[in-house]
């Protein structure tokens, strides 16, 4: 009997897998029409309902959530099933409402938008009665009347309503025009009165952008006519209109709680308009709902397939209705909209680079004169040119991402670019955005190749923007250094390092180095002595300069010496200063050495922050590598805090389990175990408090230093009667903004402290505005 039972189970699994494959693949390329595929699939699913109903329900709810780009295909399928089996339609609507409630409860608002849109499109398929959908939207918009709730909550419910209208607006207006007018009036009144303080912080360019409500107003004016949503249910109108409809159960938006986390507000990103492609199909206008629909669908394709770049690229280029629109422009705009999204892109930055390269491969050159370049590359080149032209008003965080993308992209195309087209940057102030961008791109390209290659790829006129040769600068290396203090000790150290000296031998050589900060008769021991640090760090890094690995080994071998020399805060700061002097021309080496020194606790995070704002770094203050180091330092601190918090939670859970076991077994022998665990919890509690205090201090140091240098600049400009808005100021104020945005979840814990200690009402309005914009993000 046993083998027969097993075969039955495997048959059931095979059927379930087959059903899953059929449902997921419907709507993909096929020899038959979409309509006949949908009809066939509805027949198969109807026949399998008696045995596999729960599986089919689960699958359809999952694709509604995870494959929003095929939304109307699946709503049509559900419509056909509802027409054949009314009870199944009812169960599906109930399951979707359950799923919507769960998504909202779990703060999964992005998925919830797709579920609301799916439910609204079921009105078109005669599954859900229009009046009950209108009632649900009424409840959504009533959230705008709630008091003491964050604006981001109201925003989300209004967005969920507005963004469903391109799909269902026409149907709802035909059935319930008075109610819809009322909801629309409430929405418009809310949109007029909502705060927009946060907008400048999230804009890619410092210029106004259209809002979704403008697109919806235009759609309403056009009598809800749009031509870009695939509507397969129209072909089945005669079947669907006979079907019985279901009423949505009354839906009350879950109340706001302390645990509610709403999506960040988003601003609309536009790069192209209809004048950019005069020959092909016309691009829908910036305010048109068609533009919104096409972008939504392309974003959905990226969201569904981002882990598989080949599939993702293939799905994008085979977008339905691609002949009616300039698809390549839309694809480029959507990918850059995600890459430049603030505070963070939806996916890892490098995914967008690989996706764009994949798109280039899919569309090989069809023009004889550019046969060596893919066709898509030309669209990208046009987009890059546009971004370059608009660098002056581009947000610094987005410029960083543009630099990283462009350098990585060039490395896949033999670093070929028409640099002469950008020669306008050669006559500009080196600190202004265009020359700065070219310099940073070339520096990143060097990381992906080598120095001579960069010199070879750019015209000789660009030599001033080329990176320096990344060699080590050893101050005791040439004959002119004989007179430098510590020169003889440096020679002794070099011999000792080469002969594999121990830490103790190094200490004894360093013992005789005089301290320039101290009188001879003072008993100094191993307190802060800048010359000792200088001689030791210079010589060691010079001898270990061959590679990253050699440098890491040197730090590990003489870790004890480093720790002793850098015991004080001044010592830590000086170690960083000397390391920077040695590797000034090699930003990548500086970054990895700082990273290693933090990991091995030679320096701490606050020392790195103070070093970045020190006068020694003022010349390099606006360079990208400096800010990459600071963000990496903040992330390391956060990981450290989370790691200890996790250890504490696990220890508490373990103790709770032991208590439960003891109360179940009435066992007294584990008291000793409890004692040891309680001690461990106490120790971990102290570590967590200490780490959180260190993290708080790090942010206080960073913000304090920002306020100091920005205030100095503002006072100097006022005294000299010059303009505040210099390239340095734009960079600096946007770096402050970047810290707020990239680490917003952590900084929010310290809002009260920051407001009371640093961002007080007396602060200059230029600086205070950044803090107020940040507060408004989740207000």
């Amino acid at each position: 009997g046993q083998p027969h039972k097993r075969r039955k189970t495997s048959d059931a699994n095979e059927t379930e897998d087959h059903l899953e494959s059929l449902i997921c693949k419907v709507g993909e390329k096929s020899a038959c029409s979409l309509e006949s595929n949908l009809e066939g699939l509805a027949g198969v699913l109807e026949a399998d309902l008696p045995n596999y109903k729960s599986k089919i329900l689960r699958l359809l709810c999952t694709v509604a959530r995870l494959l929003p780009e095929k939304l109307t295909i699946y709503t049509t399928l559900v419509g056909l099933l509802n027409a054949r089996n009314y009870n199944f339609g009812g169960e599906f609507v109930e399951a979707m409402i359950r799923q919507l409630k769960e998504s909202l409860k779990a703060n999964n608002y992005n998925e919830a938008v797709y579920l609301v849109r799916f439910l609204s499109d079921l009105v078109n398929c005669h599954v859900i009665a229009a009046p009950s959908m209108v009632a649900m939207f009424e409840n959504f918009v009533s959230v705008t009347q709630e008091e003491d709730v964050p604006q981001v909550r109201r925003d989300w419910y209004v967005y969920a309503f507005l963004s469903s209208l391109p799909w269902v607006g026409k149907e709802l207006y035909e059935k319930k025009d008075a109610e819809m007018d009322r909801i629309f009036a409430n929405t418009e009144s809310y949109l007029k009165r909502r705060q927009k303080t946060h907008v400048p912080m999230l804009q890619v360019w410092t210029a106004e952008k259209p809002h979704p409500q403008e697109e919806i107003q235009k759609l309403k004016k056009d009598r809800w006519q749009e031509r870009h949503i695939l509507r397969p249910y129209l072909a089945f109108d005669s079947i669907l209109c006979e079907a019985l409809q279901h009423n949505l159960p009354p839906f009350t938006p879950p109340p706001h709680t302390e645990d509610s986390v709403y999506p960040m507000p988003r601003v609309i990103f536009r790069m192209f308009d209809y004048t950019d492609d005069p020959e092909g199909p016309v691009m829908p206008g910036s305010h048109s709902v068609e533009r919104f629909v096409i972008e939504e669908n392309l974003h959905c394709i990226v969201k569904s397939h981002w882990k598989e770049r080949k599939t993702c690229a293939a799905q994008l280029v085979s977008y339905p209705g691609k002949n009616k629109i300039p698809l390549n422009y839309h694809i480029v705009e959507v990918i850059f909209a995600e890459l430049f999204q603030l505070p963070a892109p939806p996916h890892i930055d490098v995914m967008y680079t690989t996706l764009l390269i994949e798109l280039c491969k899919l569309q090989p050159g069809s023009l004889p004169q550019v046969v060596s370049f893919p066709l898509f590359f030309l669209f990208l080149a046009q987009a890059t040119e546009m971004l370059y032209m608009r660098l002056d008003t581009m947000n610094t965080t987005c410029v960083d991402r543009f630099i990283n993308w462009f350098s990585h992209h060039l490395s896949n195309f033999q670093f070929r670019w028409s640099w002469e087209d950008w020669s306008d940057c050669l006559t500009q102030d080196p600190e202004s955005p265009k020359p700065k961008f070219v310099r940073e791109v070339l520096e990143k390209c060097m990381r992906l190749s080598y120095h001579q290659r960069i010199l070879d790829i750019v015209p000789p006129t660009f030599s001033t923007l080329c990176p320096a040769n990344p060699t080590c600068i050893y101050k005791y290396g040439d004959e002119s250094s004989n007179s430098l203090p510590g020169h003889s000790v440096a020679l002794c150290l070099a011999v000792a390092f080469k002969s594999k000296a121990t830490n103790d031998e190094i200490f004894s050589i360093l013992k005789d180095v005089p301290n320039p900060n101290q009188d001879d008769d003072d008993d100094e021991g191993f307190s802060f002595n800048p010359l000792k640090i200088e001689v030791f760090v210079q010589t060691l890094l010079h001898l270990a300069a061959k590679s990253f690995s050699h440098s890491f080994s040197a730090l590990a071998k003489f870790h004890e010496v480093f720790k002793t020399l850098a015991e004080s805060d001044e010592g830590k700061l000086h170690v960083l200063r000397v390391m920077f002097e040695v590797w000034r021309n090699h930003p990548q080496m500086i970054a990895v050495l700082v990273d290693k020194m933090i990991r091995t606790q030679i320096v701490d995070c606050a020392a790195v922050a103070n070093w970045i704002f020190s006068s020694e770094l003022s010349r390099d203050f606006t360079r990208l590598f400096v800010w990459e180091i600071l963000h990496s330092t903040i992330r390391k601190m956060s990981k450290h805090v989370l790691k200890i918090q996790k250890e504490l939670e696990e220890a508490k859970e373990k103790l709770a389990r032991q208590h439960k076991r003891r109360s179940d077994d009435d066992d007294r022998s584990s008291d000793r175990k409890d004692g040891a665990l309680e001690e461990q919890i106490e120790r971990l509690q102290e570590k967590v408090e200490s780490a959180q205090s260190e993290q708080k201090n790090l942010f206080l140091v960073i913000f304090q230093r920002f306020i100091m240098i920005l205030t100095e600049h503002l006072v100097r400009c006022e005294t000299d009667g010059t303009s505040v808005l210099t390239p340095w100021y734009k960079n600096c104020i946007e770096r402050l903004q970047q810290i707020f945005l990239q680490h917003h979840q952590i900084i929010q814990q310290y809002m009260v402290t920051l407001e009371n200690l640093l961002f007080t009402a007396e602060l200059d309005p230029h600086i205070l505005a950044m803090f107020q914009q940040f507060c408004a993000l989740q207000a």
Side-chain angles (χ1 to χ4, degrees):
Q2 225 31 42
H4 176 64
K5 199 181 220 175
R6 194 173 298 133
R7 191 167 63 249
K8 219 170 162 183
T9 313
S10 73
D11 285 352
N13 285 343
E14 269 179 37
T15 307
E16 288 189 1
D17 289 347
H18 181 57
L19 287 173
E20 185 169 333
S21 170
L22 286 174
I23 289 172
C24 291
K25 288 186 175 168
V26 69
E28 289 179 12
K29 269 187 181 170
S30 157
C32 303
S33 70
L34 174 60
E35 286 74 17
S36 65
N37 283 339
L38 277 170
E39 203 162 6
L41 179 55
V44 171
L45 295 180
E46 186 197 9
D48 282 323
L49 277 179
N51 299 321
Y52 299 102
K53 184 168 71 178
S54 61
K55 172 74 178 175
I56 292 168
L57 269 173
R58 201 164 56 248
L59 276 171
L60 288 172
C61 284
T62 305
V63 292
R65 192 166 47 93
L66 298 182
L67 295 177
E69 70 274 17
K70 294 206 274 185
L71 173 127
T72 55
I73 295 172
Y74 290 122
T75 52
T76 306
L77 179 60
V78 172
L80 291 171
L81 283 169
N82 179 61
R84 295 163 187 233
N85 186 323
Y86 176 74
N87 288 342
F88 175 80
E91 285 181 54
F92 176 75
V93 171
E94 280 171 24
M96 283 288 286
I97 289 290
R98 239 189 343 267
Q99 188 166 271
L100 175 60
K101 284 179 177 169
E102 281 163 18
S103 294
L104 293 172
K105 199 172 165 188
N107 292 324
N108 210 334
Y109 288 93
N110 291 336
E111 279 183 4
V113 165
Y114 299 133
L115 295 174
V116 172
R117 205 171 286 168
F118 196 97
L119 286 168
S120 71
D121 200 49
L122 287 177
V123 173
N124 294 322
C125 302
H126 298 269
V127 177
I128 290 175
S132 68
M133 193 74 227
V134 172
M136 181 170 166
F137 282 148
E138 244 171 331
N139 285 345
F140 272 33
V141 175
S142 70
V143 170
T144 60
Q145 308 299 326
E146 291 178 353
E147 289 178 5
D148 301 324
V149 297
Q151 178 170 292
V152 275
R153 170 180 169 84
R154 300 184 187 116
D155 279 357
W156 185 84
Y157 281 99
V158 167
Y159 175 74
F161 162 60
L162 286 178
S163 67
S164 298
L165 290 181
W167 280 263
V168 75
K170 186 168 186 272
E171 190 73 11
L172 296 184
Y173 255 89
E174 280 173 8
K175 303 271 189 346
K176 289 274 176 186
D177 59 338
E179 289 86 344
M180 285 297 288
D181 276 334
R182 191 171 64 242
I183 301 175
F184 215 85
N186 290 340
T187 304
E188 286 186 326
S189 127
Y190 167 69
L191 292 170
K192 277 178 191 150
R193 68 175 189 269
R194 70 189 276 273
Q195 290 292 318
K196 299 180 184 67
T197 315
H198 60 276
V199 171
M201 203 169 222
L202 299 175
Q203 281 180 324
V204 176
W205 289 293
T206 48
E208 280 304 300
K209 296 283 175 289
H211 295 287
Q213 72 267 22
E214 292 173 20
E215 298 173 342
I216 298 297
Q217 281 161 343
K218 187 168 186 318
L219 182 64
K220 188 181 169 196
K221 205 165 76 196
D222 296 344
R223 305 231 165 117
W224 306 98
Q225 297 301 320
E226 66 69 46
R227 301 173 300 112
H228 287 278
I229 295 177
L230 180 72
R231 299 187 186 266
Y233 36 78
L234 296 176
F236 298 104
D237 195 47
S238 56
I239 301 169
L240 297 176
C241 70
E242 297 295 316
L244 291 169
Q245 294 172 312
H246 305 269
N247 280 317
L248 283 171
F251 183 87
T252 311
H256 173 67
T257 66
E258 277 182 16
D259 299 326
S260 302
V261 181
Y262 302 97
M264 280 267 190
R266 272 180 43 203
V267 295
I268 289 171
F269 174 85
R270 291 276 179 268
M271 271 176 75
F272 302 115
D273 63 28
Y274 63 91
T275 59
D276 290 311
D277 183 24
E279 290 162 21
V282 177
M283 186 169 228
S286 286
H287 293 242
S288 72
V289 83
E290 277 95 349
R291 186 81 163 254
F292 169 75
V293 168
I294 295 161
E295 284 170 1
E296 263 307 276
N297 287 333
L298 294 174
H299 281 301
C300 289
I301 291 172
V302 175
K303 179 181 177 290
S304 299
H305 304 287
W306 70 274
K307 289 180 183 171
E308 293 292 335
R309 63 182 192 276
K310 283 182 164 40
T311 313
C312 191
Q315 291 282 344
L316 287 170
V317 296
S318 56
Y319 177 72
K322 60 183 178 184
N323 300 327
K324 292 190 284 183
I325 54 170
L327 181 61
N328 283 329
Y329 284 99
H330 284 291
I331 291 173
V332 170
E333 187 169 82
V334 158
I335 291 174
F336 279 123
E338 290 201 6
L339 179 59
F340 294 147
Q341 188 177 312
L342 294 168
H347 312 295
I348 186 169
D349 295 20
V350 77
M351 187 281 290
Y352 299 102
T353 316
T354 56
L355 177 57
L356 287 166
I357 292 165
E358 212 55 52
L359 285 160
C360 288
K361 286 183 193 169
L362 274 182
Q363 299 188 16
S366 57
L367 307 173
Q369 68 271 31
V370 284
V371 86
S372 57
F373 276 123
L375 184 58
F376 192 80
F377 188 94
L378 301 176
F379 289 101
L380 262 189
Q382 188 182 347
T384 307
E385 187 63 37
M386 291 179 75
L387 293 171
Y388 171 80
M389 296 309 288
R390 297 180 71 178
L391 276 170
D392 289 353
T393 57
M394 198 176 194
N395 183 299
T396 300
T397 303
C398 300
V399 176
D400 292 351
R401 293 183 201 162
F402 183 24
I403 290 163
N404 287 328
W405 164 73
F406 188 52
S407 52
H408 187 176
H409 183 77
L410 287 178
S411 73
N412 283 273
F413 293 92
Q414 296 103 43
F415 296 101
R416 284 191 289 174
W417 188 253
S418 47
W419 297 101
E420 287 88 351
D421 294 351
W422 289 356
S423 51
D424 63 325
C425 72
L426 300 172
T427 55
Q428 296 179 7
D429 169 5
E431 276 300 302
S432 60
K434 286 178 181 174
K436 204 161 177 37
F437 169 77
V438 173
R439 193 185 306 114
E440 295 285 6
V441 164
L442 293 175
E443 193 172 285
K444 286 280 180 173
C445 285
M446 185 175 71
R447 289 195 192 189
L448 300 166
S449 57
Y450 52 94
H451 184 250
Q452 188 55 46
R453 180 76 197 276
I454 302 308
L455 299 183
D456 295 342
I457 62 170
V458 295
T461 48
F462 277 73
S463 58
T464 52
L465 299 178
C466 284
N469 196 5
T471 49
C472 162
I473 304 167
Y474 180 48
K475 69 189 278 187
Y476 301 109
D478 54 25
E479 289 175 12
S480 64
S481 63
N482 291 353
S483 57
L484 286 176
H487 179 266
S488 55
V489 181
L491 295 180
C492 295
L493 277 177
V495 173
F497 287 140
K498 285 174 185 171
S499 56
K500 298 187 167 48
T502 62
N503 281 312
D504 290 341
E505 286 166 337
I506 300 300
F507 278 130
S508 64
I509 295 171
L510 289 171
K511 195 160 76 315
D512 303 325
V513 175
N515 190 339
N517 295 346
Q518 214 155 17
D519 298 332
D520 293 340
D521 54 354
D522 278 2
D523 178 23
E524 62 155 299
F526 265 96
S527 66
F528 173 58
N529 179 336
L531 189 54
K532 260 184 197 175
I533 291 173
E534 192 122 355
V535 173
F536 170 72
V537 176
Q538 277 267 354
T539 311
L540 182 64
L541 291 182
H542 164 63
L543 289 173
K546 195 172 181 184
S547 69
F548 293 138
S549 307
H550 285 76
S551 299
F552 291 168
S553 300
L555 292 185
K557 187 173 181 191
F558 298 103
H559 185 253
E560 191 189 335
V561 183
F562 271 108
K563 289 285 281 181
T564 308
L565 292 177
E567 200 172 354
S568 65
D569 288 346
E570 300 108 303
K572 291 180 177 67
L573 201 53
H574 205 63
V575 165
L576 290 164
R577 280 190 197 119
V578 178
M579 178 274 300
F580 179 68
E581 279 171 28
V582 175
W583 282 118
R584 173 184 290 281
N585 291 334
H586 198 332
Q588 193 175 9
M589 182 64 94
I590 296 169
V592 293
L593 286 177
V594 170
D595 184 273
K596 199 70 173 172
M597 285 178 179
I598 294 173
R599 284 174 195 274
T600 52
Q601 296 177 351
I602 292 170
V603 299
D604 56 28
C605 295
V608 174
N610 277 315
W611 166 67
I612 281 172
F613 286 93
S614 66
S615 57
E616 290 84 359
L617 243 76
S618 60
R619 268 183 52 214
D620 297 279
F621 183 72
T622 58
R623 287 176 69 184
L624 175 53
F625 83 91
V626 171
W627 298 97
E628 287 177 335
I629 290 172
L630 186 58
H631 288 293
S632 164
T633 303
I634 295 171
R635 282 195 299 273
K636 234 175 250 71
M637 183 78 246
S638 307
K639 276 183 185 168
H640 174 60
V641 172
L642 288 172
K643 182 170 166 270
I644 307 170
Q645 282 173 335
K646 191 179 173 200
E647 285 172 19
L648 177 62
E649 290 306 313
E650 284 169 357
K652 283 179 176 174
E653 282 168 16
K654 194 173 175 186
L655 184 64
R657 280 199 302 274
Q658 278 182 198
H659 281 173
K660 187 176 186 304
R661 204 178 302 127
R662 191 163 66 242
S663 62
D664 291 348
D665 302 348
D666 199 21
D667 173 17
R668 308 224 173 278
S669 65
S670 56
D671 279 359
R672 275 194 316 278
K673 285 185 197 167
D674 276 9
L677 249 182
E678 279 161 2
E679 274 177 36
Q680 186 192 348
I681 287 171
E682 211 170 296
R683 274 199 311 276
L684 283 169
Q685 192 81 52
E686 283 171 17
K687 276 176 84 175
V688 166
E689 283 166 16
S690 156
Q692 282 175 332
S693 159
E694 201 183 329
Q695 186 180 49
K696 187 179 187 176
N697 179 51
L698 173 62
F699 281 113
L700 285 172
V701 167
I702 291 169
F703 289 128
Q704 197 170 21
R705 300 303 294 261
F706 261 120
I707 289 169
M708 280 163 65
I709 60 167
L710 282 164
T711 307
E712 277 171 27
H713 170 79
L714 294 165
V715 169
R716 195 166 50 247
C717 290
E718 198 176 327
T719 313
D720 300 347
T722 54
S723 169
V724 167
L725 304 171
T726 62
W728 179 91
Y729 172 76
K730 178 185 184 295
N731 191 290
C732 187
I733 200 94
E734 287 182 4
R735 291 294 177 195
L736 168 60
Q737 186 187 69
Q738 187 180 45
I739 299 284
F740 275 126
L741 272 179
Q742 288 199 8
H743 310 283
H744 62 96
Q745 282 149 325
I746 305 154
I747 295 172
Q748 267 157 0
Q749 302 166 33
Y750 307 124
M751 293 286 270
V752 176
T753 311
L754 291 173
E755 196 166 1
N756 293 339
L757 289 183
L758 298 178
F759 294 95
T760 56
E762 297 79 58
L763 196 61
D764 186 285
H766 291 82
I767 309 170
L768 192 56
M770 285 297 135
F771 183 66
Q772 288 163 342
Q773 285 170 24
F774 172 67
C775 296
L777 280 177
Q778 289 288 348

